[in-house]
């Protein structure tokens, strides 16, 4: 991985990345740690991977805290932030990366519970630790961000709708966050090669990834997109609170 943020640009800051034991979340945590941030690694059921990542990040000279939490469970989320407070006292960067909804065997309302309700719960529970000057980053996809104007694959539509509902619910918090001096930004990316979601979509709809790659000209891989998420934690927030990553020419405006 190449350095994406200036060295020590986040020194002294504390960042929590939900769903960061693997994939985009793990690479985002790495980039933030490379920039000097102490990092909280959140996982649901991949404890060994989370611990391995924490050891790697400590090798960079930062502190790393591993906290397992089911974001759909209020008590679990409260316990996670209690650990963060005990270890660090405060939080400067909250990256809402964890999402899902295509997993087999989950309840019918799981996508909405995770992609909307849990996102709001995590933010609300974190608020006492977020001081003026801190930042919240919500990670989503173009297929979800533009779902109201541009249809997506039927297999992904329930997830897209639930993620857009989560984005809308979080955006409703922007005035209150602004009053507290907390910045908020949405990072929306095209399909990301190598993610679990892309794999599941390809399984359900063979050729979907190649078709989208041909249409867009390029699809970001996990590391490339994670670099954009990490940058969103530091660079100025756009006026519309949105950073679009990758091609959007085939998506109708909101």
């Amino acid at each position: 991985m190449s350095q994406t943020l200036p060295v020590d640009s986040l020194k002294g800051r504390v960042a929590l990345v939900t769903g960061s034991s693997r994939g985009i979340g793990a690479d985002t945590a790495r980039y933030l740690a490379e920039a000097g941030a102490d990092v909280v690694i959140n996982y649901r059921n991949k404890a060994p991977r989370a611990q391995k990542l924490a050891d790697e990040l400590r090798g960079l000279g930062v502190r790393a805290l591993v906290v397992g939490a089911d974001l759909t469970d209020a008590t679990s989320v409260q316990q996670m932030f209690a650990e963060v407070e005990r270890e660090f006292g405060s939080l400067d960067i909250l990256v809402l990366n964890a999402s899902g909804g295509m997993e087999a065997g989950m309840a019918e309302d799981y996508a909405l519970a995770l992609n909307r309700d849990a996102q709001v719960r995590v933010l609300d529970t974190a608020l006492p630790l977020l001081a003026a000057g801190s930042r919240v980053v919500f990670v989503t996809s173009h297929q979800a961000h533009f779902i109201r104007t541009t249809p997506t694959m039927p297999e992904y539509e329930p997830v897209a709708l639930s993620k857009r509902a989560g984005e809308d619910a979080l955006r409703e918090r922007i005035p209150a966050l602004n009053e507290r001096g907390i910045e908020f930004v949405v990072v929306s990316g095209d399909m990301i090669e190598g993610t679990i979601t892309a794999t599941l979509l390809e399984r359900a709809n063979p050729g979907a990834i190649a078709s989208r790659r041909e249409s867009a000209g390029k699809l970001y891989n996990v590391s490339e997109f994670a670099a954009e998420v990490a940058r969103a934690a530091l660079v100025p927030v756009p006026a519309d609170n949105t950073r679009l990553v990758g091609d959007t020419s085939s998506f109708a405006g909101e």
Side-chain angles (χ1 to χ4, degrees), residues 72-215:
T72 65
D73 180 80
T75 300
S76 186
V77 172
Q78 289 169 352
Q79 291 172 343
M80 175 172 69
F81 285 108
E83 286 195 49
V84 174
E85 185 173 20
R86 280 194 296 270
E87 182 72 19
F88 296 114
S90 63
L91 188 64
D92 302 288
I93 299 166
L94 173 62
V95 180
L96 298 170
N97 164 74
S99 66
M102 294 192 68
E103 302 89 337
M106 293 297 187
E108 188 175 339
D109 64 346
Y110 178 70
L112 203 57
L114 176 59
N115 297 330
R116 182 193 65 188
D117 302 344
Q119 307 302 316
V120 175
R121 176 183 299 112
V122 170
L123 174 57
D124 287 348
T125 311
L127 275 179
L129 300 180
L130 294 168
S134 56
R135 185 172 298 188
V136 178
V137 180
F138 176 68
V139 182
T140 189
S141 66
H142 292 347
Q143 288 73 22
H145 180 69
F146 292 103
I147 188 62
R148 291 198 294 251
T149 56
T150 305
T152 188
M153 288 173 285
E155 298 85 358
Y156 189 64
E157 185 174 349
V159 176
L161 289 169
S162 66
K163 284 185 69 65
R164 181 66 220 205
E167 179 182 337
D168 291 342
L170 291 167
R171 284 184 182 274
E172 290 177 3
R173 296 292 204 277
I174 290 176
L177 292 174
N178 287 342
E179 287 183 8
R180 301 173 69 130
I182 300 171
E183 297 178 313
F184 174 83
V185 61
V186 171
V187 180
S188 177
D190 206 337
M191 286 185 188
I192 309 300
E193 302 220 44
T195 61
I196 294 171
T197 298
T199 300
L200 293 173
L201 280 172
E202 185 68 22
R203 190 176 301 161
N205 189 349
I209 302 304
S211 175
R212 181 59 199 153
R213 187 189 306 116
E214 182 179 353
S215 174

